[in-house]
Amino acid sequence: QVPPVESGGGSVQTGGSLRLSCAASGYTGGRYCVAWFRQAPGKAREGLAVADDGRTRYSTSAQGRFTISQDNAREIVYLQMNNLQPDDTALYFCAAGRHPARSLGGYCDIRDTSGYDYWGQGTQVTVSS
């Protein structure tokens, strides 16, 4: 399985915006969860957003500023990030994992990384004040 590939990172000033893209060929269509995570230096990897069966879930830090969307035809998952702050500086990852069994109430969870087996190399986002 080819890992997802992220792009779109860069350097912006406080208050700026970026749109990250995740080429997730083979991972869209409902059998997999595709989510965005980030990791800042010296900090744990943090789940940000996932789209799951028409619903979206966001971390507290992402809620209201970040928006996840999918282009199923092109198999790309986007993360639109607005009002970026210096604390958003991190390496941003796209990751995919098998969707937990829906018959057992399973859903895509971003609170930990254990359900995600396929990781991209990450794209750097730097926000300067």
Side-chain angles (χ1 to χ4, degrees):
Q1 201 85 351
V2 177
V5 179
E6 308 91 340
S7 61
S11 297
V12 296
Q13 294 190 324
T14 298
S17 298
L18 283 173
R19 188 177 78 160
L20 306 183
S21 298
C22 171
S25 179
Y27 298 109
T28 58
R31 291 189 303 154
Y32 289 87
C33 300
V34 180
W36 283 97
F37 293 81
R38 70 182 179 187
Q39 189 165 19
K43 294 187 177 181
R45 197 163 291 190
E46 173 191 15
L48 294 173
V50 67
D52 181 13
D53 293 339
R55 298 181 179 180
T56 54
R57 296 184 177 91
Y58 297 96
S59 66
T60 301
S61 57
Q63 184 74 46
R65 298 187 300 129
F66 296 0
T67 303
I68 189 169
S69 61
Q70 275 186 223
D71 182 336
N72 288 325
R74 298 176 63 197
E75 297 191 285
I76 297 176
V77 180
Y78 299 101
L79 186 68
Q80 176 67 43
M81 305 187 297
N82 298 327
N83 191 23
L84 285 162
Q85 303 296 313
D87 284 350
D88 295 315
T89 295
L91 191 60
Y92 284 68
F93 297 91
C94 178
R98 283 281 187 180
H99 196 294
R102 292 174 174 84
S103 60
L104 299 178
Y107 62 92
C108 299
D109 197 344
I110 55 172
R111 291 173 294 179
D112 69 73
T113 62
S114 61
Y116 297 86
D117 299 315
Y118 307 99
W119 291 80
Q121 293 297 308
T123 185
Q124 179 67 37
V125 171
T126 302
V127 185
S128 58
S129 56

